[in-house]
Amino acid sequence: MKLLFEKSVEGRYQDIIPNCDVPETEIPQNLRRKNSPRLPQLSEIDISRHYTELAKRTHGVNDGMYPLGSCTMKYNPKINDEMAALPGFTKIHPLQPEETVKGAWEVMDTLENYLCEITGMDKMTFQPSAGAHGEYTGLLMIKSYHLAKGNKEKNEIIVPDSAHGTNPASCTMAGFKTVTVPSDSQGCVDLEALRAAVNEHTAGLMLTNPNTVGIFDKNILEITKIIHDAGGLNYYDGANLNAIMGQVRPGDMGFDVIHLNLHKTFSTPHGGGGPGAGAVGCKNLLADFFPKVRSFNGNFGVVVRALCYVLTLGAEGVPETSANAVLNANYMRVMLKDTMDMAFDGICMHEFVASLTKLKSETGVSALDVAKAMLDYGIHPPTMYFPLIVDEALMFEPTETESKETMDQVIQALKEIIGKTKTDPEYLHGAPHTTVVRRLDEVKAAREPKLRYSFE
Ligand SMILES: *Cc1c(COP(=O)(O)O)cnc(C)c1O
């Protein structure tokens, strides 16, 4: 497929920019560019077709199921986008006089109140732009708290080995040392190991519950108490809130500061790197320590979507949503447990992890092969090779928005794929067979990113 620059034809353009209707001002000489920018020159239809062609090459929730574990790729009702696109919201400017944007403040206040109620927090900010940004913000708050208390020796954050990769990364960014504690055979925190890891350097704990293997840690009250007894604070990575919202609150589990991924649980389309919001909430003891982590008030459109979503669901819909997310994951888990080995026994929360170690040793077919074969069925693969504590991991999160019929199709597809491991493993090694591109180099894009067009 050609790039826009390669499709460009000198002099071709679309006259869509209206004439200037405000007085022109002189741009100072030193700020003027010397050469005109080398922008591609195309007509509107060329551009429209270009992006349509690109859209056809990708997979979104509108194409089919997207069970990418830990990412909550649920369907986001269109009405939320419509509300966020209302001119009263899109045509305001953060530098406008405050009294002219009171409605926007009301949106943020109302959402703050609802989310504090859902999570058991006292205060919340919508500044952080993503989950990882929220983690960083929350950790800075823990740091400021200890500094204010004169706890200079507290420089360690305890993180379970099942944690999302952003957790230890955020600890490092915030200037903490990460202390890793192992998980037990159920994927939960090993209490003995936790007790052994706690000491006078413990500034806090960072945990997601349900954890990244989709299991709710039943010892959570004991865990948060161990940290509090050592003078530390508890940080809740709330990216998995879809499993528990309306059922149980991080504030009641003993957490002092949390982030939510509004773009996951609260209905903003994500996955293409678009705007997100890692809302950070805290108990009153941390309310004085909110740092300024970005301009203005964050990605406001995400906040509008989240409010619209919460209002649509209402007090009954919020717990029903998480209950259905858990029901769907357990339905798929049970229907697939004779087809794939599950990494952990028993009831899961909103996601479950299969481990294809045995399949790989018997047939040579890997988790990667199975994931790639799913593309031929129009299904987005699950998360692969994560969490790191599970070998040959495939992690499925169906979300509450998939119907039984759709899940049955995916279950059927997976049974067919696993069936082929005996009859035609070569087919699976070569999958996908029907997509525009086949197997891509899994690391090249990260190691040698090409972020700009080279005119040479
Ligand atoms: C998605 C996720 C994050 C990171 O969120 P981003 O918005 O991608 O930065 C952190 N923790 C968990 C458990 C997640 O699933």
Side-chain angles (χ1 to χ4, degrees), residues 69-72 129-135 162-167 208 210-212 237-240 259-264 270 276-278 350-351 386 397:
S70 208
C71 296
T72 312
S129 305
H133 200 191
E135 292 169 20
S162 63
H164 196 265
T166 50
N167 290 184
T208 181
N211 57 22
T212 58
D237 173 344
N240 290 329
H259 85 262
L260 303 177
N261 282 35
L262 297 192
H263 45 290
K264 288 181 182 168
H270 64 288
H350 64 313
E351 55 195 4
F386 179 83
E397 181 181 7

PDB file of all heavy atoms in Angstrom, residues 69-72 129-135 162-167 208 210-212 237-240 259-264 270 276-278 350-351 386 397, ligand 1:
ATOM      1  N   GLY A  69      -6.690  -9.968  26.361  1.00  0.00           N
ATOM      2  CA  GLY A  69      -6.667  -9.943  27.827  1.00  0.00           C
ATOM      3  C   GLY A  69      -5.938  -8.743  28.388  1.00  0.00           C
ATOM      4  O   GLY A  69      -4.934  -8.284  27.841  1.00  0.00           O
ATOM      5  N   SER A  70      -6.471  -8.202  29.478  1.00  0.00           N
ATOM      6  CA  SER A  70      -5.906  -7.069  30.203  1.00  0.00           C
ATOM      7  C   SER A  70      -6.208  -5.729  29.524  1.00  0.00           C
ATOM      8  O   SER A  70      -5.932  -4.688  30.089  1.00  0.00           O
ATOM      9  CB  SER A  70      -4.386  -7.205  30.405  1.00  0.00           C
ATOM     10  OG  SER A  70      -4.008  -6.501  31.575  1.00  0.00           O
ATOM     11  N   CYS A  71      -6.771  -5.771  28.329  1.00  0.00           N
ATOM     12  CA  CYS A  71      -6.966  -4.519  27.587  1.00  0.00           C
ATOM     13  C   CYS A  71      -8.429  -4.066  27.537  1.00  0.00           C
ATOM     14  O   CYS A  71      -8.700  -2.941  27.131  1.00  0.00           O
ATOM     15  CB  CYS A  71      -6.421  -4.655  26.173  1.00  0.00           C
ATOM     16  SG  CYS A  71      -4.648  -4.908  26.187  1.00  0.00           S
ATOM     17  N   THR A  72      -9.354  -4.942  27.924  1.00  0.00           N
ATOM     18  CA  THR A  72     -10.778  -4.603  27.960  1.00  0.00           C
ATOM     19  C   THR A  72     -11.245  -3.926  26.666  1.00  0.00           C
ATOM     20  O   THR A  72     -11.656  -2.768  26.647  1.00  0.00           O
ATOM     21  CB  THR A  72     -11.126  -3.741  29.194  1.00  0.00           C
ATOM     22  OG1 THR A  72     -10.543  -4.352  30.345  1.00  0.00           O
ATOM     23  CG2 THR A  72     -12.624  -3.640  29.428  1.00  0.00           C
ATOM     24  N   SER A 129      -2.949  11.007  31.326  1.00  0.00           N
ATOM     25  CA  SER A 129      -3.459  10.668  29.996  1.00  0.00           C
ATOM     26  C   SER A 129      -3.579   9.180  29.737  1.00  0.00           C
ATOM     27  O   SER A 129      -4.082   8.774  28.692  1.00  0.00           O
ATOM     28  CB  SER A 129      -2.539  11.264  28.931  1.00  0.00           C
ATOM     29  OG  SER A 129      -2.410  12.642  29.152  1.00  0.00           O
ATOM     30  N   ALA A 130      -3.064   8.352  30.622  1.00  0.00           N
ATOM     31  CA  ALA A 130      -3.104   6.903  30.396  1.00  0.00           C
ATOM     32  C   ALA A 130      -2.937   6.202  31.726  1.00  0.00           C
ATOM     33  O   ALA A 130      -2.637   6.842  32.747  1.00  0.00           O
ATOM     34  CB  ALA A 130      -1.975   6.488  29.448  1.00  0.00           C
ATOM     35  N   GLY A 131      -3.121   4.895  31.708  1.00  0.00           N
ATOM     36  CA  GLY A 131      -2.959   4.120  32.929  1.00  0.00           C
ATOM     37  C   GLY A 131      -1.562   4.287  33.516  1.00  0.00           C
ATOM     38  O   GLY A 131      -1.397   4.568  34.709  1.00  0.00           O
ATOM     39  N   ALA A 132      -0.559   4.135  32.664  1.00  0.00           N
ATOM     40  CA  ALA A 132       0.822   4.234  33.143  1.00  0.00           C
ATOM     41  C   ALA A 132       1.099   5.631  33.710  1.00  0.00           C
ATOM     42  O   ALA A 132       1.806   5.781  34.709  1.00  0.00           O
ATOM     43  CB  ALA A 132       1.788   3.925  31.999  1.00  0.00           C
ATOM     44  N   HIS A 133       0.519   6.630  33.085  1.00  0.00           N
ATOM     45  CA  HIS A 133       0.680   8.010  33.556  1.00  0.00           C
ATOM     46  C   HIS A 133       0.024   8.171  34.939  1.00  0.00           C
ATOM     47  O   HIS A 133       0.541   8.869  35.804  1.00  0.00           O
ATOM     48  CB  HIS A 133       0.029   8.945  32.528  1.00  0.00           C
ATOM     49  CG  HIS A 133       0.488  10.368  32.584  1.00  0.00           C
ATOM     50  ND1 HIS A 133      -0.153  11.359  31.892  1.00  0.00           N
ATOM     51  CD2 HIS A 133       1.498  10.974  33.239  1.00  0.00           C
ATOM     52  CE1 HIS A 133       0.447  12.517  32.125  1.00  0.00           C
ATOM     53  NE2 HIS A 133       1.458  12.302  32.943  1.00  0.00           N
ATOM     54  N   GLY A 134      -1.101   7.486  35.133  1.00  0.00           N
ATOM     55  CA  GLY A 134      -1.779   7.491  36.429  1.00  0.00           C
ATOM     56  C   GLY A 134      -0.925   6.815  37.494  1.00  0.00           C
ATOM     57  O   GLY A 134      -0.817   7.302  38.628  1.00  0.00           O
ATOM     58  N   GLU A 135      -0.299   5.709  37.123  1.00  0.00           N
ATOM     59  CA  GLU A 135       0.579   5.001  38.071  1.00  0.00           C
ATOM     60  C   GLU A 135       1.685   5.944  38.545  1.00  0.00           C
ATOM     61  O   GLU A 135       1.979   6.044  39.743  1.00  0.00           O
ATOM     62  CB  GLU A 135       1.238   3.794  37.397  1.00  0.00           C
ATOM     63  CG  GLU A 135       0.276   2.685  37.034  1.00  0.00           C
ATOM     64  CD  GLU A 135       0.932   1.633  36.140  1.00  0.00           C
ATOM     65  OE1 GLU A 135       2.177   1.550  36.104  1.00  0.00           O
ATOM     66  OE2 GLU A 135       0.191   0.890  35.479  1.00  0.00           O
ATOM     67  N   SER A 162       3.472 -10.964  38.996  1.00  0.00           N
ATOM     68  CA  SER A 162       2.453 -11.091  37.952  1.00  0.00           C
ATOM     69  C   SER A 162       2.055  -9.720  37.396  1.00  0.00           C
ATOM     70  O   SER A 162       1.215  -9.628  36.512  1.00  0.00           O
ATOM     71  CB  SER A 162       1.207 -11.776  38.531  1.00  0.00           C
ATOM     72  OG  SER A 162       0.641 -10.972  39.558  1.00  0.00           O
ATOM     73  N   ALA A 163       2.664  -8.656  37.907  1.00  0.00           N
ATOM     74  CA  ALA A 163       2.205  -7.294  37.583  1.00  0.00           C
ATOM     75  C   ALA A 163       2.332  -6.955  36.100  1.00  0.00           C
ATOM     76  O   ALA A 163       3.161  -7.509  35.375  1.00  0.00           O
ATOM     77  CB  ALA A 163       2.988  -6.263  38.386  1.00  0.00           C
ATOM     78  N   HIS A 164       1.501  -6.033  35.687  1.00  0.00           N
ATOM     79  CA  HIS A 164       1.607  -5.441  34.355  1.00  0.00           C
ATOM     80  C   HIS A 164       2.964  -4.747  34.262  1.00  0.00           C
ATOM     81  O   HIS A 164       3.412  -4.151  35.249  1.00  0.00           O
ATOM     82  CB  HIS A 164       0.478  -4.411  34.210  1.00  0.00           C
ATOM     83  CG  HIS A 164       0.216  -3.989  32.803  1.00  0.00           C
ATOM     84  ND1 HIS A 164       0.780  -2.869  32.252  1.00  0.00           N
ATOM     85  CD2 HIS A 164      -0.548  -4.539  31.839  1.00  0.00           C
ATOM     86  CE1 HIS A 164       0.360  -2.744  31.002  1.00  0.00           C
ATOM     87  NE2 HIS A 164      -0.452  -3.728  30.728  1.00  0.00           N
ATOM     88  N   GLY A 165       3.599  -4.818  33.101  1.00  0.00           N
ATOM     89  CA  GLY A 165       4.942  -4.274  32.944  1.00  0.00           C
ATOM     90  C   GLY A 165       5.069  -2.799  33.282  1.00  0.00           C
ATOM     91  O   GLY A 165       6.153  -2.319  33.655  1.00  0.00           O
ATOM     92  N   THR A 166       3.948  -2.066  33.165  1.00  0.00           N
ATOM     93  CA  THR A 166       4.024  -0.637  33.475  1.00  0.00           C
ATOM     94  C   THR A 166       4.288  -0.392  34.958  1.00  0.00           C
ATOM     95  O   THR A 166       4.815   0.656  35.318  1.00  0.00           O
ATOM     96  CB  THR A 166       2.707   0.080  33.097  1.00  0.00           C
ATOM     97  OG1 THR A 166       1.612  -0.648  33.656  1.00  0.00           O
ATOM     98  CG2 THR A 166       2.533   0.176  31.595  1.00  0.00           C
ATOM     99  N   ASN A 167       3.912  -1.339  35.844  1.00  0.00           N
ATOM    100  CA  ASN A 167       4.051  -1.112  37.287  1.00  0.00           C
ATOM    101  C   ASN A 167       5.511  -0.906  37.703  1.00  0.00           C
ATOM    102  O   ASN A 167       5.845   0.152  38.264  1.00  0.00           O
ATOM    103  CB  ASN A 167       3.397  -2.223  38.103  1.00  0.00           C
ATOM    104  CG  ASN A 167       1.864  -2.236  38.028  1.00  0.00           C
ATOM    105  OD1 ASN A 167       1.203  -3.014  38.690  1.00  0.00           O
ATOM    106  ND2 ASN A 167       1.270  -1.375  37.197  1.00  0.00           N
ATOM    107  N   THR A 208      -2.676  -5.087  41.399  1.00  0.00           N
ATOM    108  CA  THR A 208      -3.948  -5.073  40.683  1.00  0.00           C
ATOM    109  C   THR A 208      -4.755  -6.279  41.139  1.00  0.00           C
ATOM    110  O   THR A 208      -4.208  -7.360  41.319  1.00  0.00           O
ATOM    111  CB  THR A 208      -3.760  -5.011  39.138  1.00  0.00           C
ATOM    112  OG1 THR A 208      -5.040  -4.972  38.530  1.00  0.00           O
ATOM    113  CG2 THR A 208      -2.964  -6.175  38.604  1.00  0.00           C
ATOM    114  N   PRO A 210      -8.758  -7.926  40.528  1.00  0.00           N
ATOM    115  CA  PRO A 210      -8.106  -9.170  40.173  1.00  0.00           C
ATOM    116  C   PRO A 210      -6.776  -8.932  39.463  1.00  0.00           C
ATOM    117  O   PRO A 210      -6.618  -7.946  38.749  1.00  0.00           O
ATOM    118  CB  PRO A 210      -9.096  -9.853  39.228  1.00  0.00           C
ATOM    119  CG  PRO A 210      -9.963  -8.759  38.721  1.00  0.00           C
ATOM    120  CD  PRO A 210     -10.053  -7.783  39.838  1.00  0.00           C
ATOM    121  N   ASN A 211      -5.851  -9.853  39.681  1.00  0.00           N
ATOM    122  CA  ASN A 211      -4.502  -9.696  39.136  1.00  0.00           C
ATOM    123  C   ASN A 211      -4.482  -9.995  37.639  1.00  0.00           C
ATOM    124  O   ASN A 211      -5.521 -10.263  37.035  1.00  0.00           O
ATOM    125  CB  ASN A 211      -3.526 -10.581  39.918  1.00  0.00           C
ATOM    126  CG  ASN A 211      -3.963 -12.050  39.886  1.00  0.00           C
ATOM    127  OD1 ASN A 211      -4.699 -12.469  38.995  1.00  0.00           O
ATOM    128  ND2 ASN A 211      -3.512 -12.811  40.855  1.00  0.00           N
ATOM    129  N   THR A 212      -3.308  -9.962  37.073  1.00  0.00           N
ATOM    130  CA  THR A 212      -3.215 -10.118  35.610  1.00  0.00           C
ATOM    131  C   THR A 212      -3.485 -11.543  35.150  1.00  0.00           C
ATOM    132  O   THR A 212      -3.512 -11.783  33.953  1.00  0.00           O
ATOM    133  CB  THR A 212      -1.834  -9.689  35.085  1.00  0.00           C
ATOM    134  OG1 THR A 212      -0.863 -10.478  35.747  1.00  0.00           O
ATOM    135  CG2 THR A 212      -1.561  -8.225  35.334  1.00  0.00           C
ATOM    136  N   ASP A 237      -3.731  -0.647  41.071  1.00  0.00           N
ATOM    137  CA  ASP A 237      -3.772  -0.515  39.620  1.00  0.00           C
ATOM    138  C   ASP A 237      -5.176  -0.943  39.201  1.00  0.00           C
ATOM    139  O   ASP A 237      -5.497  -2.123  39.180  1.00  0.00           O
ATOM    140  CB  ASP A 237      -2.681  -1.405  39.008  1.00  0.00           C
ATOM    141  CG  ASP A 237      -2.750  -1.485  37.488  1.00  0.00           C
ATOM    142  OD1 ASP A 237      -3.798  -1.120  36.920  1.00  0.00           O
ATOM    143  OD2 ASP A 237      -1.766  -1.915  36.872  1.00  0.00           O
ATOM    144  N   GLY A 238      -6.016   0.038  38.899  1.00  0.00           N
ATOM    145  CA  GLY A 238      -7.430  -0.232  38.624  1.00  0.00           C
ATOM    146  C   GLY A 238      -7.757  -0.499  37.177  1.00  0.00           C
ATOM    147  O   GLY A 238      -8.919  -0.390  36.773  1.00  0.00           O
ATOM    148  N   ALA A 239      -6.744  -0.873  36.390  1.00  0.00           N
ATOM    149  CA  ALA A 239      -7.014  -1.162  34.976  1.00  0.00           C
ATOM    150  C   ALA A 239      -7.960  -2.343  34.815  1.00  0.00           C
ATOM    151  O   ALA A 239      -8.587  -2.498  33.777  1.00  0.00           O
ATOM    152  CB  ALA A 239      -5.709  -1.419  34.237  1.00  0.00           C
ATOM    153  N   ASN A 240      -8.063  -3.185  35.848  1.00  0.00           N
ATOM    154  CA  ASN A 240      -8.954  -4.346  35.769  1.00  0.00           C
ATOM    155  C   ASN A 240     -10.292  -4.104  36.467  1.00  0.00           C
ATOM    156  O   ASN A 240     -10.984  -5.051  36.835  1.00  0.00           O
ATOM    157  CB  ASN A 240      -8.268  -5.573  36.382  1.00  0.00           C
ATOM    158  CG  ASN A 240      -7.120  -6.070  35.515  1.00  0.00           C
ATOM    159  OD1 ASN A 240      -7.165  -5.933  34.294  1.00  0.00           O
ATOM    160  ND2 ASN A 240      -6.098  -6.627  36.124  1.00  0.00           N
ATOM    161  N   HIS A 259      -5.530   4.137  40.257  1.00  0.00           N
ATOM    162  CA  HIS A 259      -5.854   4.755  38.972  1.00  0.00           C
ATOM    163  C   HIS A 259      -6.883   3.877  38.279  1.00  0.00           C
ATOM    164  O   HIS A 259      -6.956   2.677  38.530  1.00  0.00           O
ATOM    165  CB  HIS A 259      -4.623   4.954  38.082  1.00  0.00           C
ATOM    166  CG  HIS A 259      -4.246   3.766  37.266  1.00  0.00           C
ATOM    167  ND1 HIS A 259      -3.257   2.883  37.642  1.00  0.00           N
ATOM    168  CD2 HIS A 259      -4.727   3.291  36.086  1.00  0.00           C
ATOM    169  CE1 HIS A 259      -3.147   1.926  36.739  1.00  0.00           C
ATOM    170  NE2 HIS A 259      -4.038   2.146  35.780  1.00  0.00           N
ATOM    171  N   LEU A 260      -7.688   4.507  37.457  1.00  0.00           N
ATOM    172  CA  LEU A 260      -8.645   3.788  36.622  1.00  0.00           C
ATOM    173  C   LEU A 260      -8.277   4.065  35.183  1.00  0.00           C
ATOM    174  O   LEU A 260      -7.839   5.167  34.863  1.00  0.00           O
ATOM    175  CB  LEU A 260     -10.073   4.303  36.857  1.00  0.00           C
ATOM    176  CG  LEU A 260     -10.604   4.260  38.282  1.00  0.00           C
ATOM    177  CD1 LEU A 260     -11.994   4.884  38.319  1.00  0.00           C
ATOM    178  CD2 LEU A 260     -10.653   2.830  38.782  1.00  0.00           C
ATOM    179  N   ASN A 261      -8.456   3.068  34.331  1.00  0.00           N
ATOM    180  CA  ASN A 261      -8.278   3.331  32.905  1.00  0.00           C
ATOM    181  C   ASN A 261      -9.651   3.655  32.337  1.00  0.00           C
ATOM    182  O   ASN A 261     -10.408   2.751  31.995  1.00  0.00           O
ATOM    183  CB  ASN A 261      -7.683   2.105  32.211  1.00  0.00           C
ATOM    184  CG  ASN A 261      -6.202   1.969  32.456  1.00  0.00           C
ATOM    185  OD1 ASN A 261      -5.707   2.293  33.531  1.00  0.00           O
ATOM    186  ND2 ASN A 261      -5.482   1.520  31.465  1.00  0.00           N
ATOM    187  N   LEU A 262      -9.969   4.950  32.274  1.00  0.00           N
ATOM    188  CA  LEU A 262     -11.292   5.316  31.755  1.00  0.00           C
ATOM    189  C   LEU A 262     -11.459   4.770  30.338  1.00  0.00           C
ATOM    190  O   LEU A 262     -12.556   4.407  29.929  1.00  0.00           O
ATOM    191  CB  LEU A 262     -11.478   6.836  31.764  1.00  0.00           C
ATOM    192  CG  LEU A 262     -11.453   7.527  33.130  1.00  0.00           C
ATOM    193  CD1 LEU A 262     -11.934   8.959  33.008  1.00  0.00           C
ATOM    194  CD2 LEU A 262     -12.288   6.794  34.161  1.00  0.00           C
ATOM    195  N   HIS A 263     -10.339   4.708  29.592  1.00  0.00           N
ATOM    196  CA  HIS A 263     -10.427   4.216  28.211  1.00  0.00           C
ATOM    197  C   HIS A 263     -10.664   2.711  28.160  1.00  0.00           C
ATOM    198  O   HIS A 263     -11.032   2.198  27.121  1.00  0.00           O
ATOM    199  CB  HIS A 263      -9.188   4.610  27.404  1.00  0.00           C
ATOM    200  CG  HIS A 263      -7.895   4.394  28.120  1.00  0.00           C
ATOM    201  ND1 HIS A 263      -7.515   5.160  29.201  1.00  0.00           N
ATOM    202  CD2 HIS A 263      -6.902   3.505  27.939  1.00  0.00           C
ATOM    203  CE1 HIS A 263      -6.332   4.760  29.632  1.00  0.00           C
ATOM    204  NE2 HIS A 263      -5.940   3.745  28.894  1.00  0.00           N
ATOM    205  N   LYS A 264     -10.445   1.978  29.248  1.00  0.00           N
ATOM    206  CA  LYS A 264     -10.784   0.553  29.226  1.00  0.00           C
ATOM    207  C   LYS A 264     -12.192   0.354  29.788  1.00  0.00           C
ATOM    208  O   LYS A 264     -13.114   0.027  29.068  1.00  0.00           O
ATOM    209  CB  LYS A 264      -9.770  -0.256  30.051  1.00  0.00           C
ATOM    210  CG  LYS A 264      -8.407  -0.370  29.382  1.00  0.00           C
ATOM    211  CD  LYS A 264      -7.444  -1.205  30.222  1.00  0.00           C
ATOM    212  CE  LYS A 264      -6.081  -1.256  29.555  1.00  0.00           C
ATOM    213  NZ  LYS A 264      -5.047  -1.805  30.445  1.00  0.00           N
ATOM    214  N   HIS A 270     -10.145   2.545  22.353  1.00  0.00           N
ATOM    215  CA  HIS A 270      -8.698   2.673  22.489  1.00  0.00           C
ATOM    216  C   HIS A 270      -8.007   1.532  21.754  1.00  0.00           C
ATOM    217  O   HIS A 270      -8.653   0.678  21.182  1.00  0.00           O
ATOM    218  CB  HIS A 270      -8.289   2.699  23.961  1.00  0.00           C
ATOM    219  CG  HIS A 270      -8.594   1.436  24.701  1.00  0.00           C
ATOM    220  ND1 HIS A 270      -9.874   1.073  25.043  1.00  0.00           N
ATOM    221  CD2 HIS A 270      -7.800   0.444  25.161  1.00  0.00           C
ATOM    222  CE1 HIS A 270      -9.841  -0.080  25.686  1.00  0.00           C
ATOM    223  NE2 HIS A 270      -8.598  -0.491  25.767  1.00  0.00           N
ATOM    224  N   GLY A 276      -6.542   8.818  26.102  1.00  0.00           N
ATOM    225  CA  GLY A 276      -7.066   8.020  27.208  1.00  0.00           C
ATOM    226  C   GLY A 276      -7.100   8.866  28.455  1.00  0.00           C
ATOM    227  O   GLY A 276      -6.840  10.075  28.410  1.00  0.00           O
ATOM    228  N   ALA A 277      -7.460   8.254  29.566  1.00  0.00           N
ATOM    229  CA  ALA A 277      -7.408   8.955  30.843  1.00  0.00           C
ATOM    230  C   ALA A 277      -7.148   7.951  31.957  1.00  0.00           C
ATOM    231  O   ALA A 277      -7.886   6.989  32.116  1.00  0.00           O
ATOM    232  CB  ALA A 277      -8.708   9.714  31.116  1.00  0.00           C
ATOM    233  N   GLY A 278      -6.074   8.185  32.677  1.00  0.00           N
ATOM    234  CA  GLY A 278      -5.741   7.353  33.830  1.00  0.00           C
ATOM    235  C   GLY A 278      -6.130   8.095  35.088  1.00  0.00           C
ATOM    236  O   GLY A 278      -5.277   8.583  35.831  1.00  0.00           O
ATOM    237  N   HIS A 350     -12.720 -11.517  35.190  1.00  0.00           N
ATOM    238  CA  HIS A 350     -13.130 -11.089  33.839  1.00  0.00           C
ATOM    239  C   HIS A 350     -12.243 -11.639  32.733  1.00  0.00           C
ATOM    240  O   HIS A 350     -12.454 -11.350  31.568  1.00  0.00           O
ATOM    241  CB  HIS A 350     -13.135  -9.574  33.781  1.00  0.00           C
ATOM    242  CG  HIS A 350     -11.765  -8.988  33.983  1.00  0.00           C
ATOM    243  ND1 HIS A 350     -10.934  -9.414  35.002  1.00  0.00           N
ATOM    244  CD2 HIS A 350     -11.077  -8.061  33.298  1.00  0.00           C
ATOM    245  CE1 HIS A 350      -9.801  -8.745  34.928  1.00  0.00           C
ATOM    246  NE2 HIS A 350      -9.867  -7.920  33.907  1.00  0.00           N
ATOM    247  N   GLU A 351     -11.207 -12.388  33.098  1.00  0.00           N
ATOM    248  CA  GLU A 351     -10.322 -12.949  32.073  1.00  0.00           C
ATOM    249  C   GLU A 351      -9.714 -14.243  32.593  1.00  0.00           C
ATOM    250  O   GLU A 351      -9.726 -14.509  33.791  1.00  0.00           O
ATOM    251  CB  GLU A 351      -9.227 -11.947  31.682  1.00  0.00           C
ATOM    252  CG  GLU A 351      -8.379 -11.424  32.823  1.00  0.00           C
ATOM    253  CD  GLU A 351      -7.568 -10.181  32.460  1.00  0.00           C
ATOM    254  OE1 GLU A 351      -7.705  -9.665  31.340  1.00  0.00           O
ATOM    255  OE2 GLU A 351      -6.804  -9.729  33.329  1.00  0.00           O
ATOM    256  N   PHE A 386       1.843 -13.317  28.047  1.00  0.00           N
ATOM    257  CA  PHE A 386       1.645 -12.460  29.216  1.00  0.00           C
ATOM    258  C   PHE A 386       0.462 -13.039  29.973  1.00  0.00           C
ATOM    259  O   PHE A 386      -0.504 -13.451  29.337  1.00  0.00           O
ATOM    260  CB  PHE A 386       1.369 -11.003  28.806  1.00  0.00           C
ATOM    261  CG  PHE A 386       1.141 -10.103  29.985  1.00  0.00           C
ATOM    262  CD1 PHE A 386       2.217  -9.567  30.678  1.00  0.00           C
ATOM    263  CD2 PHE A 386      -0.154  -9.850  30.441  1.00  0.00           C
ATOM    264  CE1 PHE A 386       1.997  -8.773  31.792  1.00  0.00           C
ATOM    265  CE2 PHE A 386      -0.357  -9.050  31.555  1.00  0.00           C
ATOM    266  CZ  PHE A 386       0.720  -8.515  32.228  1.00  0.00           C
ATOM    267  N   GLU A 397      -9.957 -12.172  27.323  1.00  0.00           N
ATOM    268  CA  GLU A 397     -10.901 -11.307  28.041  1.00  0.00           C
ATOM    269  C   GLU A 397     -12.074 -11.026  27.095  1.00  0.00           C
ATOM    270  O   GLU A 397     -12.003 -10.106  26.273  1.00  0.00           O
ATOM    271  CB  GLU A 397     -10.216  -9.982  28.453  1.00  0.00           C
ATOM    272  CG  GLU A 397     -11.158  -9.063  29.215  1.00  0.00           C
ATOM    273  CD  GLU A 397     -10.525  -7.718  29.612  1.00  0.00           C
ATOM    274  OE1 GLU A 397      -9.393  -7.435  29.190  1.00  0.00           O
ATOM    275  OE2 GLU A 397     -11.189  -6.964  30.338  1.00  0.00           O
TER     276      GLU A 397
HETATM  277  C1  LIG B   1      -3.612  -1.530  30.470  1.00  0.00           C
HETATM  278  C2  LIG B   1      -3.009  -1.710  31.789  1.00  0.00           C
HETATM  279  C3  LIG B   1      -2.113  -0.750  32.314  1.00  0.00           C
HETATM  280  C4  LIG B   1      -1.582   0.431  31.512  1.00  0.00           C
HETATM  281  O1  LIG B   1      -2.544   1.291  31.003  1.00  0.00           O
HETATM  282  P1  LIG B   1      -2.188   2.242  29.761  1.00  0.00           P
HETATM  283  O2  LIG B   1      -3.368   3.127  29.592  1.00  0.00           O
HETATM  284  O3  LIG B   1      -1.947   1.333  28.592  1.00  0.00           O
HETATM  285  O4  LIG B   1      -0.943   3.012  30.118  1.00  0.00           O
HETATM  286  C5  LIG B   1      -1.648  -0.944  33.595  1.00  0.00           C
HETATM  287  N1  LIG B   1      -2.003  -2.011  34.317  1.00  0.00           N
HETATM  288  C6  LIG B   1      -2.841  -2.974  33.849  1.00  0.00           C
HETATM  289  C7  LIG B   1      -3.206  -4.145  34.716  1.00  0.00           C
HETATM  290  C8  LIG B   1      -3.363  -2.860  32.564  1.00  0.00           C
HETATM  291  O5  LIG B   1      -4.173  -3.797  32.092  1.00  0.00           O
END
